[in-house]
Amino acid sequence: MSTTNDREASTSPAISEHLYRELTQYLHDHTGEVLAVEVLPAGFLLPSGSTSPILQDGRNLGITKKALVLAFLVARKTFFDIMKLEELNDKAAEEAMTATQVILLFDPEYITAANFRKKRFLRLADSQCISKSPKLTGLIKNELMYLETLFTSPLHRHTKSPTLWHHRRWLVKQYFNEICQVYNRTKMVPAGEKGAYKWLWMKELDVVMRSGDRHPNNYYAWTYARWLLDFLTKNYPMGADGSDENLAQDSAQEILNWCLGHPTDISGWSFLLHLFQRLPTDPLLQTSLFKKVWDFTCKLSWDGEALWWFIRTVLATRDLLPASLRQQYFQHTVERLQQPVRKQALEPGNSPAFDGPDPAAKAVRFCARFATFEDVSIDV
């Protein structure tokens, strides 16, 4: 039941304006930092003595849904009032950028706000020499940190927002060299690296994985990672000793570890398969990675569809593993299904389980249909 104060707060322009200013001041004070923002659940009891629905603790921010709605309404009005101006000076543009921060915090699919931020970068690039534009470079750095905040905070819609992931993709593609300069100037590139390319890839991959932690099966995050890998390898080759294959190789183990920690995440396994196809032709490397997947599956008797999708696709695809190894693991899969305990669990009649709904049975049927194994014969 709402109180009189709640009803007054929902209709008071002064309170709405105050909440907007408090929120934007916090974001301004932490510009260029990665924050943890959370919308407080309904019925959340504020700490004793606290009168503000916005809780601040260093880089951690909590805000009630009602307060965020009120701040959004002020931000939207402020933004469109500025858009009505005949000329957009720097001060008005900065205020509009601030307003769009709040708008996107409330609604990550507000395309008008995201497009305005893109236009702001383009205007700065047109009006200044890019290579001598510390203002533009600073804005790019802040934008990367702001987006990382939205992707890695416990905000369900933001971590899987197609609008925000497309915005980050646009930013990286449009200002790739400037982004590398940001890392170099701030000495964020570890010593010993040949350049910022590899470091940028690993940094962005970390953002994707943390976003995947927040939202399972995060298609948009992993699609962004797939695009970035292809973009880097196609447009910015690093030479024979730092080629695109090394980008895949250097991150393969980290991605595999993530997938084994999230064995039901089909988006992660799909990206690992994409990465698998980009590895250098090294049977030992592919064998080592695949063996870890197989050992994990056997140790836990894992029957999840996502992991078995990866296994069956690798086994049925030529050139990913040596033919003898593919045949060996296919036979292991067949034997796994023929185990008495498993047959009893899957097929009460104790008949072969190859036509059952079990993911391993699907793997056998899939491989038998699309792959060729000389020494394995099975009636499926």
Side-chain angles (χ1 to χ4, degrees):
M1 181 176 179
S2 61
T3 64
T4 302
N5 290 336
D6 290 335
R7 290 194 295 271
E8 289 177 355
S10 64
T11 58
S12 171
I15 292 180
S16 299
E17 181 71 24
H18 174 75
L19 291 173
Y20 172 73
R21 294 301 172 190
E22 184 177 353
L23 179 56
T24 55
Q25 184 61 49
Y26 175 84
L27 294 176
H28 178 269
D29 292 342
H30 294 274
T31 298
E33 300 178 12
V34 178
L35 311 175
V37 181
E38 184 171 4
V39 178
L40 302 176
F44 181 84
L45 296 178
L46 297 176
S48 177
S50 175
T51 58
S52 173
I54 301 177
L55 304 181
Q56 306 176 27
D57 183 13
R59 297 185 181 183
N60 301 287
L61 174 71
I63 181 170
T64 64
K65 183 64 176 290
K66 175 178 282 188
L68 184 57
V69 170
L70 295 177
F72 163 76
L73 294 175
V74 175
R76 186 178 62 177
K77 181 180 183 303
T78 301
F79 176 70
F80 283 107
D81 286 346
I82 293 174
M83 291 299 97
K84 295 176 183 177
L85 299 176
E86 294 184 2
E87 286 191 22
L88 196 65
N89 56 36
D90 287 345
K91 183 177 180 180
E94 291 299 327
E95 182 63 30
M97 288 288 282
T98 300
T100 56
Q101 277 189 303
V102 178
I103 291 173
L104 290 174
L105 182 59
F106 174 78
D107 182 4
E109 307 309 326
Y110 209 111
I111 298 178
T112 303
N115 286 344
F116 175 82
R117 299 182 76 84
K118 292 183 181 70
K119 291 177 181 178
R120 179 61 176 162
F121 288 113
L122 293 174
R123 288 195 187 99
L124 283 174
D126 289 340
S127 62
Q128 304 181 51
C129 174
I130 296 180
S131 62
K132 298 180 180 180
S133 175
K135 186 173 185 179
L136 176 64
T137 304
L139 271 177
I140 292 171
K141 175 179 178 294
N142 295 340
E143 191 74 354
L144 290 173
M145 300 299 103
Y146 170 66
L147 290 173
E148 186 173 341
T149 291
L150 299 182
F151 290 142
T152 59
S153 292
L155 303 169
H156 185 72
R157 294 179 61 206
H158 295 69
T159 55
K160 203 174 183 179
S161 165
T163 298
L164 295 181
W165 281 110
H166 179 271
H167 184 57
R168 193 174 186 95
R169 171 174 171 169
W170 177 88
L171 193 70
V172 171
K173 183 177 181 180
Q174 189 76 20
Y175 301 108
F176 178 78
N177 291 329
E178 286 68 43
I179 291 174
C180 290
Q181 290 177 17
V182 167
Y183 295 139
N184 282 320
R185 290 175 182 175
T186 55
K187 299 181 179 179
M188 295 174 71
V189 179
E193 291 286 355
K194 294 180 173 58
Y197 298 166
K198 185 187 296 186
W199 193 91
L200 172 64
W201 162 243
M202 298 303 293
K203 170 62 178 172
E204 292 297 284
L205 194 58
D206 177 68
V207 174
V208 168
M209 289 190 292
R210 285 190 288 142
S211 181
D213 291 337
R214 292 293 185 188
H215 199 305
N217 303 316
N218 197 331
Y219 169 81
Y220 295 102
W222 290 107
T223 297
Y224 168 78
R226 186 180 301 221
W227 167 82
L228 182 61
L229 178 62
D230 294 341
F231 173 76
L232 290 174
T233 58
K234 180 180 179 180
N235 297 286
Y236 299 92
M238 299 172 63
D241 58 349
S243 63
D244 59 294
E245 293 178 338
N246 277 358
L247 285 180
Q249 181 176 344
D250 292 343
S251 54
Q253 185 60 59
E254 190 170 358
I255 294 297
L256 175 59
N257 291 339
W258 190 94
C259 289
L260 294 179
H262 305 75
T264 62
D265 197 301
I266 185 62
S267 295
W269 287 110
S270 179
F271 179 77
L272 180 61
L273 179 65
H274 179 73
L275 203 68
F276 216 78
Q277 296 167 336
R278 305 298 295 269
L279 292 173
T281 306
D282 181 0
L284 293 178
L285 176 61
Q286 279 101 333
T287 300
S288 173
L289 294 173
F290 187 80
K291 186 177 184 301
K292 290 179 180 179
V293 176
W294 182 262
D295 290 346
F296 175 89
T297 306
C298 294
K299 182 178 181 180
L300 299 183
S301 298
W302 190 263
D303 288 333
E305 182 74 28
L307 188 153
W308 273 101
W309 171 87
F310 174 80
I311 291 177
R312 78 189 191 200
T313 306
V314 171
L315 292 181
T317 305
R318 299 190 180 190
D319 302 327
L320 291 184
L321 292 176
S324 59
L325 191 65
R326 293 168 56 225
Q327 180 175 312
Q328 174 187 338
Y329 279 111
F330 179 78
Q331 184 62 54
H332 288 338
T333 305
V334 173
E335 294 170 356
R336 186 172 186 265
L337 288 173
Q338 291 174 330
Q339 294 172 2
V341 174
R342 190 175 185 81
K343 286 196 297 183
Q344 292 173 9
L346 296 174
E347 300 288 333
N350 216 26
S351 60
F354 303 136
D355 59 348
D358 180 75
K362 292 181 182 180
V364 170
R365 296 198 304 272
F366 185 87
C367 291
R369 180 178 179 183
F370 294 104
T372 301
F373 303 99
E374 296 178 356
D375 300 330
V376 177
S377 176
I378 180 171
D379 182 12
V380 293

